[in-house]
Amino acid sequence: MEEDDEVKQRSKLEEKHSDERREEETEMDCPSHHPPPPPGELFDLDTTVDPSYVISLIRKLLPIDSGSEECDQSTELRHMNANNAVQARSGDGFVDAASKGDPESMDIGGNRKDSTSEEKDKASSSVEEAWEEHGCVLWDLAANETHAELMVQNLILQVLHANLLVSTSDRIREISLGIIGNLACHEGLLKHIESTSGLVNTLVGQLFLDDTQCLTEVCRILTTGLYGPGCNFWAECLQSDDILRRILWIAENTLNPHLIDKSVGLLLAILEDQSEVGKLLIPPLMTLGLTSLLINLFSFEMSKLIKERVPERYSVLEMILRAVEALSASDTHSKEICSSKQLFHLVCDLMKLQAKAEVAACCVTAGVLVANILSETVSFIQEVSQDFSFLEGLFSTLPFASDDVEARRALWSVIARLLARVNESEIDASCMRRYILVFLRNSDIIEDDLLDIQLEEDPKEESLNSFPSQGKSSARRIAIQKIESMLNNWNIRKEESMNGDCSVNTADVKRLYDCCQRYIKSVEGS
């Protein structure tokens, strides 16, 4: 019996020691300056990521330069949901677990006489690497709305703002901006960014950095803000001539395609807004040389495209074209850019490209841009009235605009303008044959497009101004009527026109002619 009592007593002692060891291990797993949340705190979140882990990461992003007033005096940071209380931090970073309670180990800075500059550099580098690691995790998590909301609730915006104010590391700034950029993508959280005191002005100030990656992230954030419901607030923060001049400078001088894309995207966000943002920012941008900037960027990208097809530059060309097209559609500022002969020649060269598949979106936008230019500057029509490569380029772009009714209307309006200048009874046989060959090479495209009746249903189409003799006919109907007339004239004069040349297939002419006639009868009878 005594032996049994001794065994039981020994077992109880072992269990006690085991429990103590487990408690010690738990304490060692959680650094003393990052205590875990109170065990009674519950998170009602639909996420596989432990909220306490996210909060611990936010704490680890507290500015390395803790001596800054912004960090030390932040009342909000000191009240991070009670469980986010900030513990003592050293001047060089966080106090680690090994130093807590050891007076000698806390003797840092000037008191550590044996500390060398090299050791300090290594320590600083180590702290920055740890910050980068934690920041990149949050950068990824911020793309998820649930995680993003948790992060904002736990004052990550204030933490990142403090970092932008005190950090001298480009990498830390980039990560901070990247996290804010992801947070801004969630509409509800964009309001929190706008309401965080001083944050938007600080973000605008980052435009004056020289780091490419930081500038890319800043442009992304500002673009998001200008597309959001609080766009007027963002526009007011950007209205200074120095800031607008800096945006133009970045777009003009960077060699990084991604930064060109984002900086022009920022300009596009301004140009596409025809309300208060546009009224506030477009006039000073025009004064500062926006038109010449966009044309120069377009010229540069076209030279790159003609010499060598570089896929990463396609999106840049498209963004520039969208910005130019948006400006050309402006009621107030279109005349300046639409009167540029250089721009017109560039966009025509793009339309003439043989292989369009890789830059299809660019060509569609170019078609809309050409339509806007010719509406504003009618004199340019003469320059391309008999440019058969350009005419063929318009037809070959139609399939790429199959899902964009407005773009197809624009393309047909240009085709109609060009063909309206053709007097088939007066042009010579050689010129007529070239027109007919263009029509026949694109007959499948024409026939396919005529199957869509949507283009006949736009009451706002400007056909009355463009072609007054045609009444309420759409540009496409006018173009098809002209094609039908030219095909008919060709049939009448075919012996004279062919002159022994069998390049024009009579059967193909008849098939396209019949298709045009059916279309004309269908729209006239509708």
Side-chain angles (χ1 to χ4, degrees):
M1 292 293 292
E2 291 179 356
E3 291 180 358
D4 291 342
D5 292 339
E6 289 178 0
V7 170
K8 290 180 180 179
Q9 188 173 3
R10 190 182 300 113
S11 176
K12 289 180 180 179
L13 288 172
E14 288 176 353
E15 289 177 2
K16 180 179 179 181
H17 290 313
S18 178
D19 291 338
E20 290 175 352
R21 281 196 302 271
R22 280 196 294 269
E23 291 176 0
E24 290 174 357
E25 289 172 357
T26 301
E27 291 176 359
M28 291 177 66
D29 290 340
C30 297
S32 59
H33 54 292
H34 298 318
E41 183 169 353
L42 300 176
F43 295 93
D44 185 18
L45 294 171
D46 182 18
T47 174
T48 57
V49 179
D50 185 354
S52 62
Y53 170 64
V54 175
I55 294 171
S56 72
L57 289 175
I58 295 173
R59 294 186 202 147
K60 292 172 183 176
L61 295 196
L62 286 165
I64 294 173
D65 181 8
S66 61
S68 67
E69 289 185 6
E70 292 84 1
C71 182
D72 287 343
Q73 295 179 0
S74 175
T75 303
E76 290 174 315
L77 290 179
R78 293 180 183 181
H79 294 85
M80 270 182 137
N81 292 348
N83 65 310
N84 286 2
V86 181
Q87 302 296 322
R89 291 182 291 116
S90 72
D92 292 330
F94 295 115
V95 179
D96 60 22
S99 68
K100 188 173 184 181
D102 185 350
E104 293 183 1
S105 66
M106 294 179 67
D107 187 13
I108 60 175
N111 295 330
R112 294 186 59 180
K113 297 180 181 180
D114 58 343
S115 174
T116 65
S117 176
E118 183 177 351
E119 289 174 338
K120 289 182 179 180
D121 290 342
K122 288 181 179 179
S124 177
S125 176
S126 177
V127 171
E128 185 171 328
E129 287 176 5
W131 196 104
E132 178 180 339
E133 180 182 349
H134 302 139
C136 285
V137 174
L138 287 171
W139 193 346
D140 290 337
L141 291 175
N144 177 278
E145 187 169 6
T146 300
H147 300 149
E149 288 175 353
L150 174 66
M151 291 158 65
V152 170
Q153 290 168 8
N154 286 276
L155 305 183
I156 192 171
L157 290 174
Q158 287 78 2
V159 172
L160 297 174
H161 189 194
N163 276 287
L164 292 174
L165 291 172
V166 303
S167 178
T168 58
S169 165
D170 288 336
R171 181 57 174 158
I172 287 179
R173 288 178 179 272
E174 178 198 352
I175 294 171
S176 297
L177 294 167
I179 297 171
I180 295 174
N182 280 359
L183 295 173
C185 292
H186 309 294
E187 185 175 340
L189 300 185
L190 184 59
K191 296 178 182 178
H192 287 274
I193 295 174
E194 296 164 355
S195 62
T196 299
S197 179
L199 178 55
V200 172
N201 282 322
T202 298
L203 292 171
V204 171
Q206 306 304 298
L207 286 168
F208 294 90
L209 298 172
D210 293 324
D211 181 74
T212 298
Q213 303 306 322
C214 289
L215 291 174
T216 299
E217 292 301 326
V218 173
C219 290
R220 181 169 76 103
I221 296 169
L222 297 178
T223 301
T224 303
L226 288 173
Y227 279 123
C231 55
N232 292 345
F233 170 67
W234 293 81
E236 290 170 1
C237 294
L238 291 170
Q239 65 181 324
S240 163
D241 279 358
D242 288 340
I243 294 170
L244 296 177
R245 188 180 290 109
R246 176 64 177 178
I247 294 172
L248 296 177
W249 187 92
I250 292 169
E252 185 174 22
N253 289 279
T254 182
L255 297 177
N256 183 285
H258 196 48
L259 181 53
I260 299 175
D261 191 354
K262 295 301 180 185
S263 56
V264 175
L266 175 55
L267 294 171
L268 176 62
I270 296 171
L271 293 172
E272 286 188 333
D273 191 297
Q274 297 299 315
S275 58
E276 294 304 316
V277 172
K279 291 177 182 177
L280 185 65
L281 300 182
I282 294 178
L285 282 172
M286 296 295 288
T287 302
L288 293 170
L290 175 61
T291 298
S292 60
L293 166 69
L294 292 176
I295 294 174
N296 290 339
L297 289 176
F298 185 20
S299 177
F300 178 77
E301 292 303 323
M302 279 298 295
S303 67
K304 289 284 188 182
L305 181 66
I306 292 171
K307 292 177 183 177
E308 182 183 6
R309 298 291 180 96
V310 182
E312 70 172 340
R313 304 200 76 93
Y314 297 160
S315 63
V316 177
L317 177 60
E318 182 182 359
M319 189 63 71
I320 294 170
L321 278 165
R322 288 177 59 193
V324 175
E325 189 271 322
L327 185 56
S328 72
S330 168
D331 294 334
T332 310
H333 307 286
S334 60
K335 188 171 184 179
E336 180 177 340
I337 199 161
C338 288
S339 62
S340 170
K341 187 170 288 189
Q342 180 189 5
L343 172 64
F344 184 66
H345 289 161
L346 286 169
V347 77
C348 288
D349 289 342
L350 178 57
M351 295 301 296
K352 294 177 189 179
L353 285 179
Q354 295 294 317
K356 285 187 169 67
E358 294 175 315
V359 289
C362 298
C363 292
V364 171
T365 305
V368 177
L369 178 55
V370 171
N372 291 344
I373 292 175
L374 294 182
S375 296
E376 190 73 43
T377 312
V378 180
S379 60
F380 286 162
I381 299 176
Q382 180 61 35
E383 297 191 25
V384 289
S385 60
Q386 291 191 6
D387 190 332
F388 299 101
S389 296
F390 178 65
L391 179 60
E392 189 146 8
L394 292 168
F395 280 119
S396 64
T397 303
L398 280 169
F400 299 114
S402 59
D403 296 329
D404 190 337
V405 173
E406 294 301 322
R408 283 163 57 210
R409 287 197 180 105
L411 289 166
W412 277 113
S413 73
V414 178
I415 294 170
R417 286 176 182 277
L418 297 180
L419 297 182
R421 301 181 70 87
V422 178
N423 188 334
E424 57 267 36
S425 63
E426 295 182 0
I427 61 174
D428 59 38
S430 175
C431 187
M432 175 67 84
R433 181 178 62 83
R434 297 186 69 180
Y435 275 115
I436 299 302
L437 287 174
V438 171
F439 298 152
L440 295 184
R441 281 195 295 267
N442 295 279
S443 59
D444 289 341
I445 292 173
I446 295 172
E447 291 178 26
D448 288 343
D449 199 85
L450 296 185
L451 296 175
D452 191 343
I453 64 171
Q454 292 183 77
L455 297 186
E456 311 304 328
E457 299 174 349
D458 184 13
K460 298 181 292 183
E461 190 158 8
E462 59 170 354
S463 56
L464 285 174
N465 295 328
S466 305
F467 313 98
S469 64
Q470 300 294 331
K472 293 186 178 181
S473 297
S474 71
R476 182 173 69 169
R477 189 188 309 185
I478 295 168
I480 296 301
Q481 288 172 336
K482 190 66 176 179
I483 292 173
E484 185 252 9
S485 176
M486 293 173 73
L487 290 170
N488 184 54
N489 184 275
W490 173 263
N491 285 326
I492 295 172
R493 299 174 10 179
K494 61 182 177 181
E495 290 186 3
E496 174 191 349
S497 301
M498 289 178 65
N499 195 24
D501 184 356
C502 300
S503 58
V504 177
N505 187 298
T506 304
D508 290 342
V509 172
K510 185 178 186 310
R511 183 168 68 91
L512 182 57
Y513 176 76
D514 290 343
C515 177
C516 291
Q517 277 203 324
R518 287 194 301 271
Y519 166 77
I520 293 169
K521 289 178 181 178
S522 68
V523 295
E524 286 178 350
S526 59

